[in-house]
Amino acid sequence: MSGVAAMQARVSAFVALVDGTAHPLQGAYPVVSDSDVVVTFEPGEASVDRVDQVIVRVRDGVYDGSGVQEGSVEYLKGQPSGAASPLPPSSLALWEVKVPAGVSAANGSINFATARTRRFTYTTGVGTALPVENATERDALPVFPGLCVVRRDTGDVERFWAGAWQAVDWRAETGWTPISRLISPWRSSPSVFYPPQVRRHGPLVELRGTIDRAPSTSAASAGTLSVPSSYLLVLPSWFAPAVTTRWAAADYSATRQFPLRVETDGWVGADNIGGIPSTADVQLDTIWAVG
């Protein structure tokens, strides 16, 4: 939100999730405000500062008797005593604004940069960084390993791992990188579209492609390694996960799955490599966080 006139502020476009509270059977409503909304504030009280609010409100006639079904950005004037007014049902406070006593369009103005206080909580998609204003707001979050935040005060991206916040370089975008270290007799499967490839987006790594066994060890593709173990291929350490990661790899040409793992040194293996049929096209699709 930013000021556009003495008593007006512009609220930028946003997406919000608003809890329906007009009736016990209501759930949450996704609300999209797809353009800027200009909010006009009423003149201040004669002798006290007043707390006004900008809210997003949902009306659903099935539950609240309003006769409409809509979401809107609204202005909620504070009480004559200066206190903020109670929120109406099914609404979410976006901003509180301190309106100085005696202010009006003809007498002074509201400095929205200093008078506003954010009341909404940022949300984000799974696997992406959550915006926070500063370290204090970051430290108040309920943390879990892998939680990422982006600091609005510094622009830094940080990830919670091993009990502490760590800096993350989200500029690390490798693009799809061919996997050259296949372990004989495993090779890039000639029967499918994608060869084995890996790429990194900051702390996230994506693996894709399909491999199979060559008809004989001598016919294995160039770049394979002869290692008598339960491994299929080796990734550069740049892509290694923080902890050993396991997933169920599918057979491209059959309804079968095989338990695979990628270890902290980048080696990808199978717990029971002998249980993978020689005719299988092993599909390597998975994703993990690096250490």
Side-chain angles (χ1 to χ4, degrees), residues 89-233:
S90 305
S91 61
L92 175 70
L94 300 176
W95 299 95
E96 282 186 358
V97 177
K98 184 178 180 180
V99 180
V103 72
S104 67
N107 181 30
S109 62
I110 301 174
N111 183 349
F112 288 97
T114 58
R116 66 179 186 179
T117 301
R118 179 171 62 85
R119 290 305 182 202
F120 62 88
T121 300
Y122 285 110
T123 58
T124 187
V126 175
T128 57
L130 179 71
V132 294
E133 292 294 338
N134 47 45
T136 300
E137 188 171 314
R138 177 203 66 189
D139 294 341
L141 294 173
V143 296
F144 57 87
L147 173 65
C148 283
V149 300
V150 56
R151 294 267 301 272
R152 291 172 58 86
D153 57 342
T154 63
D156 294 336
V157 177
E158 299 172 347
R159 179 167 60 103
F160 188 81
W161 197 260
W165 290 101
Q166 302 174 2
V168 173
D169 185 2
W170 277 76
R171 297 167 297 178
E173 166 53 68
T174 63
W176 286 111
T177 303
I179 298 173
S180 59
R181 301 183 68 193
L182 297 173
I183 296 172
S184 177
W186 295 95
R187 65 174 183 173
S188 175
S189 178
S191 61
V192 295
F193 181 73
Y194 286 118
Q197 299 172 323
V198 64
R199 68 176 175 180
R200 178 175 170 179
H201 304 268
L204 298 180
V205 174
E206 183 179 2
L207 177 65
R208 74 175 183 183
T210 307
I211 60 175
D212 67 2
R213 286 189 178 96
S216 67
T217 302
S218 60
S221 59
T224 57
L225 304 173
S226 180
V227 179
S229 67
S230 61
Y231 295 106
L232 297 87
L233 55 94

Side-chain angles (χ1 to χ4, degrees), residues 1 7-9 11 37-45 50-57 59 72-79 85-88 92 94-99 103 110 112:
M1 186 175 69
M7 301 295 289
Q8 290 184 324
V11 179
V37 177
V38 175
V39 177
T40 300
F41 288 74
E42 294 192 17
E45 302 301 315
R50 188 183 67 233
V51 177
D52 291 355
Q53 298 175 83
V54 178
I55 67 174
V56 54
R57 183 178 183 183
R59 291 178 173 84
S72 58
V73 176
E74 299 182 4
Y75 166 71
L76 182 60
K77 183 182 178 182
Q79 302 294 310
S85 296
L87 292 177
L92 175 70
L94 300 176
W95 299 95
E96 282 186 358
V97 177
K98 184 178 180 180
V99 180
V103 72
I110 301 174
F112 288 97

